[in-house]
Amino acid sequence: MTTPDTPAPADFIRAIVAQDLRTNKHGGRVHTRFPPEPNGYLHIGHAKSMCLNFGIANEHEGGLCNLRFDDTNPSTEDVEYVEAVKSDVRWLGFDWGDRLFYASDYFEQLYQYAVQLIKKGKAYVDSLSAEEIRDYRGTLTKPGKESPYRTRSVEDNLDLFQRMRTGEFEDGAHVLRAKINMASPNINLRDPTLYRIRRVAHHRTGDKWCIYPTYDYAHPLSDSIEGITHSLCTLEFEDHRPLYDWVLDETEVECHPQQIEFARLNLSHTMMSKRKLLELVEQGHVTGWDDPRLPTLMGLRRRGYTPAAIRNFCDHIGVAKRDAVVEMALLEHFIREDLNRRAPRVMAVLRPLRVVIDNYPEAQVEKLEAVNNPEDPTMGTRKVPFSRVVYIEQEDFREDPPSKFFRLAPGREVRLRYAYIIKCVGVVKDERTGEVVELHCTYDPETRSGSSQAGRKVKSTVHWVSAAHALQAEVRLYDSLLLQANPSETPEDQDYRASLNPNSLQTLTACRVEPSLASAAPGSRYQFERLGYFCVDAVDSSPHVLVFNRTVPLRDTWAKIEKAQQGR
Ligand code: ATP
Ligand code: MG
């Protein structure tokens, strides 16, 4: 319950809930639901909905949020999705307790409510074909036309509806429709379909049913049966609200939840349509629903995203009534922020260039102290082996350095992180290709990090690994799925395929990582110094072949955007 010193609600939905509590509209209850259809995997848009529904319930004493599978369309649904959804909801940090429900559990009740509607003369069996029904419906500018079957008697309707249920008719032979108004300016009220014949097995009810309720009919009644107080859905259902209310007004239900619409999350450079995501998976553009390039929760998880980063992102974007596209860079900002605090630093070289330190004793190995996380001293330090041959990043050397390039070049010095200052004294090239294959350097023994000379100024510090100790690894670099920021999301539009980024995945197989990563557990996350955040791929990594996914590079484009915006 709200008290006088409660902070102002964060958004218009929370304001409505607070107001309803003040007026005791729902008997002081707050009860929401998250209603996924088990026809695909959850994505970051669903995360927004979960953060809202579970979030509001958690913010109120005694508040509840149900997980309900909206499983009324058996032809596209599967138990595989049910299990995946449950695991994703839990992973994101939400708990439905003992409130796991299925719309299919209500099929008998929904059928009885339909019988009520028929008896009241509020529903009828229509025997027009699907095409005729479409024609009769009219358009935005043209009123609909009443079906000749609209005036069937209650007895005939009851008889036909019962026979629809028992399987006497083929798919499409009849439908049950609400009798509302074929001339309504709102097309959703032009005698919408309530039941269809679909002779397909359902993943939970098997062959028990061959008629299935439509979303618009099943959803309000499922909400009502569960005692939901606030039924939160996305904006495209705004025009369906009069139908939501009609169904509850015309049936004998005790609870009339309030439907409130909010803007769905759209993210730049990716897409959220389950149908398109399924296409990407089925056509092999990605490796599966958990491909780290996808905005699915499984993909983000495999990519190295933390639940906290996703929840913080959702809290930050908030909920509003207007559709907008959120920059992917903002999501990346939140994972950087979270991993900056959590992720231990390690050194890894993605494109190795061999460096021989000519004056370093051949057999010598030093264990140099490295800080695990400068943001968090409690994470301690570790020892990194240093020896005569190290690898550095190819891009940290230029034979012919441009003016602002301050890293290694012939005759120049850099510091090796946690180690010594080295100077490039020789360059070995492949005779055939002219490619630089090895550098010769000297080190200054007085400049070891932490020693009195260590502070001697050099323009840059580069990361490295000891060649004799480093582990071989594969590193997968991900870039945005789509080249365009906002390809249109209309259902007919197939053009997103032209926008697929052909370089969304780059696999580097000759990487070297420091030996402390030998024991890295699948899924564990690290900052590779100077490069970005990476996690051990939970599927393909093994002790023999370590595989890392780049979660996000270090460069914070969002901070730049934000800075530019503030400067305006
Ligand atoms: P479909 O196109 O199959 O209906 P859907 O994206 O609506 O897909 P559902 O499984 O029906 O998926 O969604 C479950 C819940 O998540 C719904 O309440 C829906 O409004 C919400 N939701 C889905 N996508 C988004 C999104 N992009 N932003 C916010 N909420 C979303
Ligand atoms: Mg939906």
Side-chain angles (χ1 to χ4, degrees):
M1 292 292 275
T2 47
T3 58
D5 39 314
T6 309
D11 55 66
F12 78 99
I13 295 180
R14 286 173 165 89
I16 294 173
V17 171
Q19 170 72 14
D20 290 348
L21 282 171
R22 276 194 294 276
T23 60
N24 208 30
K25 182 169 173 185
H26 302 282
R29 294 186 307 117
V30 176
H31 199 157
T32 56
R33 85 289 172 263
F34 173 62
E37 186 179 352
N39 63 353
Y41 289 80
L42 298 184
H43 52 58
I44 181 96
H46 294 110
K48 174 176 175 172
S49 177
M50 281 188 265
C51 288
L52 182 64
N53 281 295
F54 284 99
I56 287 180
N58 292 340
E59 287 159 24
H60 295 279
E61 180 89 30
L64 298 172
C65 179
N66 296 356
L67 173 61
R68 182 200 316 141
F69 286 98
D70 198 350
D71 56 350
T72 56
N73 186 4
S75 43
T76 55
E77 296 164 4
D78 200 278
V79 273
E80 170 199 347
Y81 298 123
V82 171
E83 291 311 315
V85 166
K86 289 201 273 187
S87 135
D88 282 346
V89 175
R90 266 190 229 107
W91 177 75
L92 197 58
F94 296 115
D95 181 9
W96 57 86
D98 56 358
R99 290 173 308 283
L100 173 62
F101 301 102
Y102 296 85
S104 56
D105 288 345
Y106 312 136
F107 280 169
E108 183 61 40
Q109 270 163 292
L110 299 180
Y111 179 85
Q112 296 304 335
Y113 282 126
V115 169
Q116 276 180 16
L117 289 175
I118 295 173
K119 287 183 176 162
K120 279 176 74 179
K122 295 289 182 179
Y124 63 98
V125 173
D126 197 356
S127 309
L128 292 179
S129 69
E131 202 181 319
E132 286 166 326
I133 289 178
R134 230 183 346 263
D135 285 346
Y136 277 56
R137 188 170 293 132
T139 63
L140 283 174
T141 50
K142 210 176 80 195
K145 211 167 66 181
E146 291 185 358
S147 162
Y149 302 102
R150 200 176 197 262
T151 50
R152 269 187 171 135
S153 69
V154 169
E155 289 66 37
D156 285 354
N157 282 322
L158 285 174
D159 174 61
L160 282 167
F161 188 47
Q162 206 265 326
R163 286 160 61 200
M164 279 167 68
R165 174 183 181 157
T166 50
E168 217 174 285
F169 308 115
E170 291 307 310
D171 286 16
H174 308 284
V175 292
L176 184 75
R177 297 179 72 175
K179 193 188 276 191
I180 308 182
N181 179 3
M182 287 307 289
S184 171
N186 183 341
I187 293 185
N188 295 301
L189 295 180
R190 293 184 190 168
D191 292 8
T193 300
L194 307 181
Y195 270 91
R196 296 190 184 92
I197 302 172
R198 284 249 191 299
R199 299 158 75 100
V200 285
H202 185 282
H203 57 101
R204 295 192 77 243
T205 57
D207 291 326
K208 180 154 188 242
W209 292 90
C210 62
I211 55 171
Y212 292 98
T214 55
Y215 173 89
D216 280 330
Y217 176 68
H219 202 77
L221 289 169
S222 304
D223 282 346
S224 173
I225 290 166
E226 292 174 18
I228 300 303
T229 56
H230 299 86
S231 176
L232 314 179
C233 62
T234 42
L235 278 184
E236 65 272 24
F237 291 102
E238 196 164 20
D239 290 345
H240 296 237
R241 193 184 340 130
L243 179 53
Y244 184 98
D245 289 329
W246 183 92
V247 170
L248 296 179
D249 287 340
E250 297 298 341
T251 47
E252 283 155 34
V253 296
E254 275 158 36
C255 164
H256 191 137
Q258 180 178 0
Q259 174 177 313
I260 307 171
E261 308 84 20
F262 64 94
R264 65 194 301 120
L265 169 64
N266 298 303
L267 254 193
S268 74
H269 299 94
T270 188
M271 54 207 186
M272 232 77 94
S273 147
K274 282 195 264 187
R275 186 182 58 77
K276 289 180 192 171
L277 293 174
L278 179 65
E279 257 172 41
L280 287 183
V281 172
E282 284 183 340
Q283 295 174 6
H285 296 290
V286 293
T287 56
W289 286 97
D290 64 349
D291 188 297
R293 289 167 289 185
L294 295 182
T296 53
L297 294 181
M298 286 179 104
L300 290 168
R301 174 183 189 169
R302 189 168 170 195
R303 174 93 169 239
Y305 272 77
T306 59
I310 295 174
R311 291 194 310 261
N312 292 343
F313 165 77
C314 291
D315 286 349
H316 177 90
I317 57 172
V319 284
K321 248 329 203 193
R322 198 149 42 96
D323 271 317
V325 177
V326 176
E327 283 295 323
M328 183 63 96
L330 183 61
L331 179 60
E332 293 180 345
H333 166 79
F334 279 95
I335 186 61
R336 275 193 201 97
E337 195 177 74
D338 193 38
L339 292 180
N340 184 37
R341 268 178 274 131
R342 289 173 203 269
R345 276 55 173 165
V346 292
M347 290 198 283
V349 174
L350 300 190
R351 297 174 183 87
L353 174 58
R354 209 176 127 88
V355 175
V356 181
I357 304 168
D358 294 334
N359 60 338
Y360 194 86
E362 192 112 17
Q364 183 169 307
V365 177
E366 287 176 90
K367 300 274 189 179
L368 303 178
E369 186 164 79
V371 175
N372 285 337
N373 188 343
E375 300 290 322
D376 181 0
T378 67
M379 288 173 74
T381 60
R382 69 188 184 287
K383 298 284 188 188
V384 185
F386 183 79
S387 65
R388 188 167 184 267
V389 181
V390 298
Y391 289 113
I392 65 167
E393 214 61 71
Q394 285 169 17
E395 62 178 27
D396 284 336
F397 173 79
R398 286 289 186 87
E399 196 177 11
D400 191 10
S403 68
K404 293 233 166 76
F405 187 88
F406 298 121
R407 296 174 237 171
L408 202 57
R412 289 214 189 149
E413 286 187 326
V414 291
R415 170 173 295 284
L416 296 179
R417 179 92 161 128
Y418 299 119
Y420 299 96
I421 291 174
I422 58 167
K423 180 179 189 169
C424 178
V425 296
V427 178
V428 180
K429 292 186 192 176
D430 182 300
E431 277 178 19
R432 226 167 15 88
T433 62
E435 199 189 335
V436 176
V437 291
E438 185 175 282
L439 301 181
H440 284 265
C441 290
T442 54
Y443 86 116
D444 179 348
E446 302 299 318
T447 58
R448 180 166 155 175
S449 285
S451 74
S452 58
Q453 295 288 302
R456 180 152 76 86
K457 264 228 147 346
V458 283
K459 285 228 166 79
S460 66
T461 298
V462 304
H463 59 274
W464 53 275
V465 292
S466 164
H469 303 89
L471 308 171
Q472 186 114 14
E474 174 178 318
V475 174
R476 299 172 180 172
L477 303 178
Y478 298 101
D479 197 355
S480 66
L481 186 62
L482 301 181
L483 293 168
Q484 270 164 279
N486 308 315
S488 87
E489 286 251 333
T490 60
E492 290 75 25
D493 173 31
Q494 296 291 317
D495 278 347
Y496 73 90
R497 258 176 266 145
S499 176
L500 284 176
N501 178 1
N503 302 314
S504 56
L505 167 62
Q506 194 186 353
T507 304
L508 305 176
T509 52
C511 312
R512 299 286 198 288
V513 301
E514 66 169 66
S516 72
L517 287 170
S519 56
S524 46
R525 307 173 180 95
Y526 298 91
Q527 184 192 99
F528 287 1
E529 293 217 23
R530 299 178 63 232
L531 298 174
Y533 294 99
F534 293 75
C535 77
V536 181
D537 187 82
V539 179
D540 296 334
S541 194
S542 73
H544 310 290
V545 192
L546 282 168
V547 178
F548 291 91
N549 295 321
R550 183 173 69 190
T551 310
V552 67
L554 278 184
R555 161 186 55 92
D556 191 347
T557 26
W558 173 246
K560 277 185 212 152
I561 294 169
E562 200 169 43
K563 226 169 158 182
Q565 284 170 347
Q566 282 163 357
R568 222 176 275 150

